[in-house]
Structures are given as structure tokens and as C-alpha cells.
Amino acid sequence: MNYKRLLFCLFTGFTVATSPAFAFQELQPSDDYIQVSKEIVEILEGTHYNKPSINDQISELAFEDYLDALDPTKSFFLQNDINALSVYKKRFDDAIKSGDTQVAYTIYNLYLKRVEERLTDLENNLSAMLEGFDYTLDESLDLDSEHYTWAKNKQEQDETWRKRLKNRALTLKLNGETPEAISEVLTSRFKNQLKRIHQTDAVDVYQIFVNSITAALDPHSSYFAPRASETFNINMSLSLEGIGAVLQMEDDYTKVVRLIPGGPASAKGELSPNDKIVGVAQEGKEMINVVGMRLDDVVDMIRGERGTTVTLEIIPSKGTGQTSKRIKIVREKVKLEDQSAKKEIVEVTRGDDTYKVGVIELPTFYSDFAAQQAGDKNYKSSTKDTKKLIEELRKEGIVALILDLRNNGGGSLQEANSLTGLFIPSGPTVQIQDQNGRITPLGDRDPKIAYSGPLAVLTNRMSASASEIVAGALQDYGRALILGGQTFGKGTVQALQEVDKGQLKITQAKFYRVSGETTQHKGVVPDIIFPSVFDTEKVGESSLDRPLPWDKIHETRYPIYWDMPSLFPILEPRHQARMAKDPDFIALNDQIAEFRENEDKYKTLSLNENTRIQINEETEKRELDRENARRAALGLEAIESVDDIEPTDKLVYSKEAAEILLDFIAINQLAEREKAQQEQAN
């Protein structure tokens, strides 16, 4: 036994002599990363936006984050373990500053021991436990992570695991699996989890440790060890052949953060942000449970050659959480052209007249920089493509234009700046403040505009970063009505810095609107809000741990083209009146209201089979009845299964945005007539 391990055992009271032999091998820090640690501290303290001092306060936060990263559901450590480990709360800062990161490995090795104890015990007793489950008992499992606590003793932890195992078995049973198959699936799960735990190496532990430090500063700074750095670079280049989804770990689950526009998952339409992936199957092979699996291993399983099919078993975020479902997605490479701007026309009839309103959907802010640098005048960019589509729509006789930035997670800052310039003469579009307080304004210098008519921008909670810059600028200028949902609130700028081993992604600046308000945390609040399935408390920057705050700097000089707020008292009541009569909005509002009303119920999962079946049947019946009521109001044929329900909010929002723009036009025309009459009278 090494000296530091012996000191740890003596200091915390853990015994060594009586400990049983385990299969896992204790991990130790590598001397190769001593200098890396010192380099990381220098970069964090010198270039992070907050200019932090890596001190005891940061150490205590990092300690909590480290435990949470290892055991997010509080499933393995006992309260006694946590009490003993608490002596290390103020050691994390010293560890990374000195490069002696033994403390991280000491904690991790105890975690390994607890995992092996638990999973081995479950594997050995699985058959007896499965045979003993009584699905007629009225008991439940608490799924609310805010209620998770460290078990006081093994008996209390045993009971928690019993309920979790019973839930997993019941879910498989309700999905039609036989008792033999249930036993095989769960046994395989524990074996795979143990196997992957044993595959964890010293570099993996080091990465978790460093990221506990960066997480104490803000949610977007992070360290990528060499393997993770390679994966990050692949994702950033969009050369990944897979399903086109950004994933992250939450508790023991792989969660969908967002879908890449133009990717296979986005096109399929069955996967949504916040869905949890619990299983992955390759073509012709059995489903592999991925609960508790390392994120990079899950990503590797989902990746694959284009044209091949991967099957995902998911727990939908919009459901009750009572059952899972399986979806098949054909892998493809996400191409630039798949993310290109697209146009359509929404026709609105008022009286005897029909009006055309153009819609340009922009999935991301893109530019083919390589082609541009090579001197190709026909290189693709979001600004060039949008300008071309505007010209085409104007020839088709549109009276107004909608820029749809829903689910647009950002992209090129240069493109956000130039695209804003399509709708305003030259002027500032965004301000950037660095860690030294220096403010750099960016703006459009081209006085030409592509479109000067009535304009609306559609946003939702997944509109982020560059989307928020465009929406915020057009709102401040009074150039467009912002409609839809509050945006994500990511107003920080990250830069990648190479370190001796890997990369450090570090927050170095902050975006501010021309009005002086930052887009950070708060995002852009729409002028008129549409119903949204996104819960702003669970999705968005404000839902993350330790986001940088909202604040304000001096505004820049800019003109205001329309006094939009003066129109809201007229536009808002008309919008509400239409929604109250529109079958699509009635169904959508009812669905959202039902989910919000039952949200607390969904945090508790019944372990009674009949209750689960009843809840599922009642939920599906309500969904089917709601959809058929909507279809009946629209004169459409009824459907027989919830599987036949297709998303409608995309078109519904565009139609309502078009209606609001026509109201806007009518109000302005009336004001102009009244002004002309008054001038004639004078």
C-alpha cells in the first residue's frame, strides 16, 4: 500500500486490514499531469472573465461538484463516507496549484470500492430479488433529484436500490419482456457498468477533477483531456457521422441537450431536448442498456457509418416517465447544405383578400470559411443565402417577413452581425466586454438593406448565442417584433486554449445588446409570448449551475425605427383572442397545462403494475382525445393511435406570427390615414 493511501485510511478512520479484496485496481495520479495542472491554474486565473482566485471557496464548490460527478444520484457513497471525505473540502485548490492531485484519486478509489460492492451484491442477488418483487403493492419511487440524500446506512441504501431495481424490472415487463429477458438485461447492465468502471483510467479521473474546478467558475468552462479533446474537435467540425445530437450526462442518464439542425435526429422528429437515452442497439443486435455508462462510450455507440441504423431506447421528456419507447435513426453526416436557410410562404385570408407572408427558417449561423478564404465568390453563408431568399420572396409578392430562429443554437458571430445588417442601415449590433472591462462594439458598415418591410423574429428557449444577438439587436432598433418564447440566455464567449495535454475551453467575454443589456442569463424576452413546452426553470442558462449574472453596461447610439411597445396593447389582445379560438393553440395550451399540473406527480413513480398501466392508458387517451378534438375542429379525419400524432407547433406559430404582422400593418396603415386626414384638416 502506498504512503498517501495509508495516511488517508488512518486519518479518516477507514480500515484497511479487514477490507476484502476487490477486482478493481486503485488508480494513482500521473506525474505527466503535474505541469498541466499548474498551466491550467495560470490560464484560469489569468484569462477567465471573472478573474478568479483558485482558493478555499472554489475548493469547497469543486469538492461538491466532484462528488456529484462521481455519484450524481447518491447511489454508492454512504453519509459516513461523505463525512470522512469532507476533510478534503479545502484541499482541491492546493491540489491543482501544486499538481499533486492525489486527493482526487483517494476519493475516486473509495468510490470504485463502493461501486464494486454494490454492483457485485446486486448481480449475486438479482434472481432472488426479481422473484420477490410484488407488483401489486402500492409503493413508489421518488425521482426528484432535489430529494436525493446520502443513505445513512447500508440498509437504507439497500431499500433505495430495491425500489430502483423494481422500477427497471417493471418498465421492462410493461414493454413486453419475459422474466428471463428481464433478468438477462439487468444482469448485463450491472456487468457492463462494472466493466466500464474498471476501464476508467487515471486520465479520466484527472479530467473529472479539473472539471470540478472549472464548474465552480461557470457552466461553460471545461477541460478536455486528449481523448475528449479529439471528440470535441470532431463535433465542432461537424464531420461526425451519427444522429446529429448534442448529449450530456445528467445523474446516471445520457440526456439530449439539443438537436443539430439538418441532422438525422432533427429530421426524424421523434427525439427532443431533455429526452433520456437508456439503451442503444446496433443493426441486428440486442439493445444495450446505457444507464450509468460513460458519456464518451455512449457517444461511440451512437456514432457509426452513414447509412447504418441505430435504435435508441428513450424516456421522453414530454411524457409521464412511466415507460420508455424505441426509435430508429439512420446515421448520416451533418452537411452544411442541410443547415442552410429555407423559405416558405404562409397565406392568410382576411375578408376577400389573401396575403402572403414569407418565412425564412435559419437553423444556424453558418459560413463556409474554407471556400471564402480560397477566394470562391460563391461560398455559402447564412447571410448570403438569406439575402437571396428575401429577393425570391419579394418577387412572389410577400407583404411581411418572418425570420424563424427557433432551435437555432448560434454559430458564427460574424454571420450574426452581417445578417442583422440585412434589415438595418449601418450601425452597431452587439457589444463585447472582456475580462479587463474593455468593450468592443461590432456593427454593420454596409448602408444597404435587403428588406425594409414589416418583420417578425420567432424565437424559443433553444434560440441561443448568435440568435440572441440578432433578436436583441432587431428588438432594440424597433426593427422587428420578437415573437415566441424567451431565448436560452447564453451571453458568454468561450475560447479554446491548448495545454500540454488536451485543451481548455474558457469563458473570456460577455455579449451585450446595443441597449446595454447583456443577453446572458435572461436572454431575449419576446414582445408577444407564445405557448411553450419548454420549462424555463429546467431549460436554459438560468437552469445551469453558477451561470454568470445578467447585468448592464452603457448603451450605444442607435436609431429606433418603430415604437413597437406602443402597439402591444392592441396586438396582444388580438393575439389572445385568436389563440382562444384556434384548435391548434387550444390543444397545445391544454397539453402544456396538463403537463404543468401533473409535473409534481411525474416526480414520483408508482411501482404498482396496475397503477402504471392505468396511468399510461389514461395519458394516452387524453392525448388521443385532445388530438382528435383538434382534428375535428379543423375538419380532419380522426386517428386511432397516439403514434400517429405529428408535431403541429411549427406551422401554428408561423401562421400566428403572420396574423400579428398583418395586424401590425393594419395599425400602421390606419395611423398613416389618420395622420394624412389631420394634415388635410389643418
Side-chain angles (χ1 to χ4, degrees):
M1 176 179 298
N2 67 49
Y3 178 67
K4 292 177 180 176
R5 175 65 176 163
L6 178 60
L7 279 181
F8 167 74
C9 297
L10 293 174
F11 191 76
T12 61
F14 291 123
T15 58
V16 180
T18 58
S19 297
F22 291 96
F24 76 85
Q25 184 175 356
E26 290 190 347
L27 300 177
Q28 300 299 331
S30 168
D31 291 342
D32 294 340
Y33 283 80
I34 293 176
Q35 189 57 40
V36 177
S37 295
K38 296 177 181 179
E39 190 179 354
I40 287 172
V41 171
E42 183 179 350
I43 294 173
L44 290 177
E45 291 188 334
T47 65
H48 190 277
Y49 183 80
N50 282 342
K51 289 188 172 180
S53 174
I54 309 300
N55 53 23
D56 285 352
Q57 183 180 0
I58 296 296
S59 180
E60 291 188 20
L61 294 174
F63 173 79
E64 298 296 336
D65 284 336
Y66 187 66
L67 292 179
D68 189 54
L70 295 182
D71 194 2
T73 57
K74 296 180 169 58
S75 301
F76 299 104
F77 283 129
L78 296 170
Q79 184 62 57
N80 287 341
D81 295 332
I82 302 304
N83 294 341
L85 294 173
S86 293
V87 298
Y88 295 108
K89 274 189 176 182
K90 296 183 179 180
R91 307 269 186 94
F92 274 47
D93 57 327
D94 301 322
I96 195 167
K97 284 180 177 179
S98 67
D100 181 1
T101 56
Q102 177 64 46
V103 57
Y105 293 83
T106 301
I107 295 172
Y108 191 83
N109 287 331
L110 177 63
Y111 167 71
L112 280 177
K113 177 180 178 181
R114 294 291 181 252
V115 170
E116 176 140 336
E117 287 174 338
R118 173 55 59 185
L119 296 183
T120 301
D121 182 67
L122 285 170
E123 188 179 346
N124 292 338
N125 295 289
L126 180 61
S127 297
M129 294 177 73
L130 291 176
E131 290 176 4
F133 288 151
D134 183 353
Y135 299 116
T136 65
L137 295 178
D138 287 325
E139 54 182 357
S140 60
L141 176 65
D142 189 352
L143 299 178
D144 191 347
S145 59
E146 293 182 3
H147 295 164
Y148 292 164
T149 57
W150 306 108
K152 295 182 180 64
N153 50 54
K154 187 175 183 299
Q155 290 71 33
E156 184 180 314
Q157 194 179 72
D158 287 345
E159 177 61 11
T160 300
W161 270 101
R162 183 191 68 81
K163 287 187 175 183
R164 288 178 180 173
L165 186 62
K166 185 176 181 180
N167 172 55
R168 293 172 183 176
L170 179 55
T171 300
L172 291 168
K173 187 173 189 287
L174 292 174
N175 286 341
E177 300 289 357
T178 64
E180 293 77 15
I182 293 172
S183 179
E184 288 178 9
V185 168
L186 295 178
T187 299
S188 176
R189 173 183 298 183
F190 299 138
K191 286 182 177 179
N192 286 336
Q193 196 168 353
L194 269 173
K195 179 181 177 182
R196 284 171 178 82
I197 285 290
H198 292 157
Q199 289 174 341
T200 301
D201 60 27
V203 176
D204 295 325
V205 176
Y206 180 78
Q207 179 173 273
I208 298 169
F209 166 70
V210 175
N211 279 323
S212 71
I213 301 288
T214 60
L217 305 180
D218 80 281
H220 299 294
S221 294
S222 56
Y223 166 69
F224 302 102
R227 179 187 176 192
S229 179
E230 181 183 355
T231 299
F232 179 78
N233 292 338
I234 289 173
N235 287 331
M236 288 300 289
S237 68
L238 287 180
S239 63
L240 171 67
E241 291 180 3
I243 65 170
V246 177
L247 310 175
Q248 73 177 34
M249 287 299 297
E250 183 177 274
D251 298 334
D252 278 339
Y253 292 95
T254 298
K255 187 182 79 170
V256 178
V257 178
R258 64 182 176 89
L259 304 179
I260 297 174
S266 177
K268 181 77 171 178
E270 294 185 62
L271 197 65
S272 302
N274 286 337
D275 286 352
K276 295 176 180 176
I277 299 174
V278 297
V280 179
Q282 311 301 332
E283 280 186 88
K285 296 186 178 180
E286 294 182 359
M287 181 70 63
I288 296 176
N289 191 285
V290 297
V291 177
M293 190 181 293
R294 288 166 40 136
L295 179 61
D296 51 3
D297 287 331
V298 178
V299 171
D300 286 343
M301 292 173 65
I302 294 175
R303 282 180 189 161
E305 295 182 5
R306 68 174 70 185
T308 59
T309 300
V310 62
T311 301
L312 304 181
E313 183 174 353
I314 65 168
I315 299 176
S317 58
K318 298 174 185 176
T320 63
Q322 306 284 333
T323 56
S324 61
K325 73 173 186 178
R326 295 184 178 186
I327 58 175
K328 292 185 177 182
I329 301 176
V330 178
R331 300 177 176 104
E332 291 293 343
K333 180 178 286 188
V334 180
K335 302 174 184 176
L336 189 61
E337 52 266 34
D338 293 332
Q339 303 189 53
S340 299
K342 298 176 179 62
K343 69 168 183 173
E344 64 177 330
I345 289 179
V346 175
E347 294 188 347
V348 179
T349 301
R350 291 195 170 185
D352 295 329
D353 297 317
T354 298
Y355 302 91
K356 293 181 178 181
V357 177
V359 180
I360 294 179
E361 181 184 356
L362 191 63
T364 187
F365 290 88
Y366 56 88
S367 181
D368 190 343
F369 295 112
Q372 184 181 5
Q373 290 173 358
D376 184 354
K377 294 182 180 180
N378 296 318
Y379 72 90
K380 287 184 67 65
S381 79
S382 50
T383 301
K384 291 178 65 176
D385 291 349
T386 299
K387 183 179 180 180
K388 180 181 177 183
L389 294 178
I390 289 173
E391 293 170 354
E392 293 174 2
L393 288 168
R394 290 180 65 180
K395 290 178 181 178
E396 295 182 61
I398 62 168
V399 298
L401 179 66
I402 299 167
L403 180 63
D404 190 348
L405 298 182
R406 286 175 296 170
N407 303 317
N408 183 322
S412 166
L413 174 60
Q414 176 184 322
E415 282 299 309
N417 180 54
S418 60
L419 189 133
T420 303
L422 295 178
F423 306 105
I424 62 171
S426 58
T429 58
V430 66
Q431 304 180 79
I432 303 173
Q433 180 171 267
D434 66 17
Q435 67 268 32
N436 295 316
R438 290 190 297 263
I439 298 172
T440 304
L442 294 181
D444 171 52
R445 297 181 180 180
D446 186 354
K448 297 178 182 178
I449 57 175
Y451 180 76
S452 60
L455 177 68
V457 178
L458 269 175
T459 62
N460 66 6
R461 194 58 168 170
M462 301 310 292
S463 304
S465 195
S467 292
E468 298 175 282
I469 291 172
V470 173
L474 295 177
Q475 186 179 53
D476 289 339
Y477 273 88
R479 181 60 191 87
L481 286 164
I482 310 301
L483 311 174
Q486 183 178 1
T487 62
F488 192 91
K490 185 183 182 300
T492 56
V493 186
Q494 285 72 42
L496 276 176
Q497 292 201 23
E498 297 287 336
V499 294
D500 184 44
K501 296 186 184 298
Q503 293 176 300
L504 191 65
K505 180 163 67 80
I506 183 170
T507 298
Q508 292 187 334
K510 211 170 176 183
F511 289 129
Y512 290 84
R513 295 163 60 158
V514 294
S515 63
E517 298 182 5
T518 181
T519 56
Q520 169 63 18
H521 201 283
K522 183 179 178 182
V524 177
V525 179
D527 300 320
I528 296 178
I529 295 176
F530 287 9
S532 174
V533 296
F534 294 110
D535 186 343
T536 55
E537 293 184 3
K538 294 182 178 179
V539 179
E541 186 79 6
S542 57
S543 70
L544 304 177
D545 291 334
R546 306 180 195 102
L548 268 61
W550 179 92
D551 61 348
K552 190 173 182 178
I553 60 175
H554 291 297
E555 66 178 24
T556 60
R557 296 183 63 182
Y558 61 96
I560 297 177
Y561 296 102
W562 273 304
D563 181 13
M564 296 296 190
S566 67
L567 305 178
F568 299 162
I570 303 173
L571 296 175
E572 179 67 33
R574 295 184 182 182
H575 163 63
Q576 294 293 338
R578 276 191 298 270
M579 282 203 305
K581 297 178 182 178
D582 189 301
D584 289 317
F585 274 114
I586 291 172
L588 183 59
N589 277 314
D590 183 60
Q591 180 186 20
I592 294 170
E594 180 185 325
F595 182 77
R596 298 284 185 264
E597 181 182 344
N598 295 321
E599 198 167 7
D600 288 338
K601 294 180 183 178
Y602 296 156
K603 292 178 181 178
T604 302
L605 203 57
S606 173
L607 300 179
N608 181 296
E609 183 175 5
N610 289 332
T611 301
R612 284 272 276 270
I613 292 173
Q614 182 181 354
I615 291 173
N616 291 334
E617 289 178 347
E618 290 175 351
T619 301
E620 288 193 2
K621 184 178 185 305
R622 285 195 300 270
E623 287 185 27
L624 192 60
D625 289 346
R626 179 166 48 237
E627 172 63 11
N628 281 329
R630 182 189 75 85
R631 297 176 72 86
L634 294 171
L636 302 174
E637 291 185 6
I639 58 175
E640 297 182 357
S641 170
V642 292
D643 295 333
D644 297 326
I645 298 177
E646 297 180 356
T648 59
D649 59 334
K650 183 176 180 179
L651 180 60
V652 173
Y653 288 179
S654 297
K655 287 171 56 181
E656 177 56 21
E659 293 278 8
I660 292 173
L661 280 173
L662 290 181
D663 285 341
F664 172 80
I665 292 171
I667 293 169
N668 279 284
Q669 288 175 342
L670 178 61
E672 289 174 2
R673 285 197 297 268
E674 290 177 346
K675 182 180 179 181
Q677 290 172 358
Q678 188 174 12
E679 289 175 350
Q680 287 180 350
N682 293 333

